[in-house]
Amino acid sequence: SQLLPLFGREPCTLAVLSARVGSIGDNRAGGWYGYRASKAALNMLLKCAAIELARRAPGVKLLAFHPGTVDTQLSRPFHANVPPGNVQSPELVADHLINLMNRLQPDGELSFLDWQGKPIEW
Ligand SMILES: NC(=O)c1ccc[n+]([C@@H]2O[C@H](COP(=O)([O-])OP(=O)(O)OC[C@H]3O[C@@H](n4cnc5c(N)ncnc54)[C@H](OP(=O)(O)O)[C@@H]3O)[C@@H](O)[C@H]2O)c1
């Protein structure tokens, strides 16, 4: 309800930084208890918001976005575990995100997509 007044009449997309580790179906390695749980909870919050927005602001598309591994302070301690070439710059991922947001249409659903636009299981 805090966001509702900010939405105009034009269709728009709201993207929130989630992560693949929040997927229960995709959890093959375990660990990361707090991070996984917080992203799974985020996705549930966004699902509730999508249902509410479909009623109250149907022009808004909601996206839970997985950016891949991005070269930031958060991921730096774990780069050794990531295959070479799989760490992306924030600028590149921002481009992917903008392109993806421009392609999405308001459909009353929450989408959980990675930086390539591929769906992630819940
Ligand atoms: N990096 C990755 O590989 C990766 C992968 C998947 C998902 N993500 C998600 O992408 C998002 C951004 O991650 P990142 O890699 O950019 O992390 P980061 O480099 O650690 O940046 C986190 C950002 O959040 C801000 N922040 C932290 N605590 C805050 C608070 N209590 N109130 C307000 N702002 C706060 C920080 O602000 P200050 O700079 O002012 O401290 C910083 O700008 C996160 O949700 C993360 O889970 C990242």
Side-chain angles (χ1 to χ4, degrees), residues 17-21 35 39 42 65-76 79:
L17 289 165
S18 183
R20 192 185 299 278
V21 292
Y35 191 39
K39 292 301 188 186
L42 171 69
F65 181 67
H66 169 63
T69 304
V70 187
D71 187 10
T72 66
Q73 265 190 313
L74 179 146
S75 70
R76 239 158 252 153
H79 286 185

Side-chain angles (χ1 to χ4, degrees), residues 10-72:
E10 295 293 313
C12 70
T13 301
L14 175 63
V16 179
L17 289 165
S18 183
R20 192 185 299 278
V21 292
S23 165
I24 292 173
D26 187 69
N27 183 354
R28 293 167 224 289
W32 298 61
Y33 287 78
Y35 191 39
R36 285 186 188 279
S38 72
K39 292 301 188 186
L42 171 69
N43 288 351
M44 179 57 90
L45 289 170
L46 293 174
K47 176 71 185 185
C48 293
I51 290 168
E52 189 171 348
L53 286 173
R55 285 197 301 264
R56 301 177 66 186
V60 179
K61 172 67 189 174
L62 207 47
L63 169 64
F65 181 67
H66 169 63
T69 304
V70 187
D71 187 10
T72 66

